[in-house]
Amino acid sequence: MIHEPFRAPGPGAPNGGRPPVLDVRNLKVSYAANGPMILKGLDFAVGGGDFCAVIGPSGAGKSTLIRCINRLVEPTEGSITLFGQDVRALHGGQLRRLRRRIGMIFQEFNLVNRMSVMDNVLSGRLGYTGPVRSFFKAFPREDVDRALHLLERVGLQDHVAKRADALSGGQRQRVGIARALMQKPEILLLDEPTSALDPKISRDVMRLIRELADELHVPVLCNIHDVQLALETCNRIIGMQDGWKKFDGPSTGMRKQDLDAIYAMEVL
């Protein structure tokens, strides 16, 4: 049964005729020379008002797509334009500077277990402070204040000094959210951010991300396995199957037959 989804601002078309934040054209990826294509020519754009879910069966290429955007996976063909820059043409310092503008939230949380919650969140500023200042915890006061504010915003103000491995899964993901927002990102990329969480915590986490993205005016591209959760929290859906795009439109416009086409080889 498909419930009424969250009605957020409309997708896609950039506001006021401005170019999209992210523009992907004919994106193809193969992990080996002459190997099978994982992505087979994707085209889509993400505008400033988008909270966009990427759904599809296992093996559709969802994680590969997310990781291509900041070159954690190297595209084989096609173009990725982010903030007006050709991502595939960037290397070294140029690529590092681009990545500072991208917030990543992972399914595995990617926290340093032996570090405190506060230090994990402050590590989101590594791209700006550098490893030496970070080692000596010489963060500017404004960074410390921002970290405290974000920890309060995600409900962890009473866990600042705890080690990350002392937290529950939902709390660990909230630390990951705060860390990503410490970068002051201009886009958020989410790779299965709720797959390790139970259903209630998953909904809490996704609604928190949605609220924070709305407050900070940050577009979101989210690979998510839970179709119902995507329909409830995202204003736009990209449906993938076997490396192809099968659907791209507002979540309010998704029909049962669209889901049947995306998951033709799986039982929902």
Side-chain angles (χ1 to χ4, degrees), residues 20 57 66 73 79-80 84-85 88-90 109 130 141 148-150 172-173 176 188 197-198 219 224 236 255:
I66 293 292
V73 168
S79 68
I80 302 170
Q85 298 181 74
R88 295 191 65 194
L90 302 180
F109 315 131
R141 184 69 224 180
L148 289 170
H149 169 73
L150 287 170
R172 286 164 66 83
Q173 191 57 289
L188 280 172
L197 307 175
D198 67 43
I224 185 168
R236 179 176 166 203
R255 305 161 300 171

Side-chain angles (χ1 to χ4, degrees), residues 18-32:
R18 289 175 291 179
V21 175
L22 171 67
D23 191 26
V24 174
R25 297 293 153 201
N26 193 37
L27 184 63
K28 298 180 181 180
V29 173
S30 174
Y31 286 115

Side-chain angles (χ1 to χ4, degrees), residues 203-220:
R203 273 154 179 77
D204 291 343
V205 165
M206 280 297 289
R207 288 183 179 277
L208 175 62
I209 296 171
R210 186 194 71 201
E211 290 169 8
L212 289 167
D214 184 56
E215 287 175 17
L216 299 171
H217 308 290
V218 179
V220 176

Side-chain angles (χ1 to χ4, degrees), residues 100-118:
R100 292 194 309 201
R101 304 169 70 183
I102 304 169
M104 283 285 296
I105 299 175
F106 302 91
Q107 69 180 86
E108 309 91 351
F109 315 131
N110 281 18
L111 305 182
V112 180
N113 286 329
R114 59 184 173 78
M115 285 171 51
S116 70
V117 167
M118 183 66 164

